[in-house]
């Protein structure tokens, strides 16, 4: 079985188990135990990746604009 398929199946299984555990423990206990922290970490990692992408896009745009505005060739004397 390909690794990516196996990882996807395991991730789905983990989600199902977490859902069952959440139902068994109840929401208050779930939050108290800190088991939800992994989802918070994943969300923060995704937010960091999104912000990194925005910064990279912005920097590339700035560099492109600077290159377009920069005069080409040596300056001419009058």
């Amino acid at each position: 079985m390909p690794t990516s398929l196996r990882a996807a199946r395991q991730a789905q299984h983990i989600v199902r188990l977490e859902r069952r555990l959440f139902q068994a423990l109840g929401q208050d206990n779930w939050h108290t135990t800190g088991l939800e922290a992994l989802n918070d970490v994943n969300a923060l990692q995704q937010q960091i990746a999104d912000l990194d992408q925005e910064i990279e896009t912005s920097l590339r745009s700035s560099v492109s604009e600077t290159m377009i505005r920069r005069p080409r060739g040596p300056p001419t004397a009058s």
Side-chain angles (χ1 to χ4, degrees):
M1 177 183 307
T3 305
S4 59
L5 181 59
R6 184 173 183 216
R9 290 183 65 193
Q10 286 178 339
Q12 290 173 346
H13 185 64
I14 289 169
V15 168
R16 285 192 303 269
L17 290 173
E18 286 176 340
R19 201 174 296 134
R20 287 176 55 195
L21 183 60
F22 176 79
Q23 291 169 348
L25 289 176
Q27 185 173 2
D28 291 337
N29 288 336
W30 181 262
H31 294 293
T32 304
T33 61
L35 292 172
E36 69 177 340
L38 180 59
N39 292 332
D40 293 342
V41 169
N42 291 339
L44 288 172
Q45 287 175 337
Q46 183 60 48
Q47 186 177 6
I48 289 169
D50 293 343
L51 291 172
D52 282 343
Q53 183 64 39
E54 286 180 33
I55 291 169
E56 185 176 335
T57 301
S58 177
L59 286 174
R60 286 178 191 230
S61 177
S62 295
V63 168
S64 294
E65 288 175 13
T66 302
M67 297 301 287
I68 290 171
R69 292 183 191 157
R70 193 169 81 188
R72 298 175 195 244
T76 57
S78 328

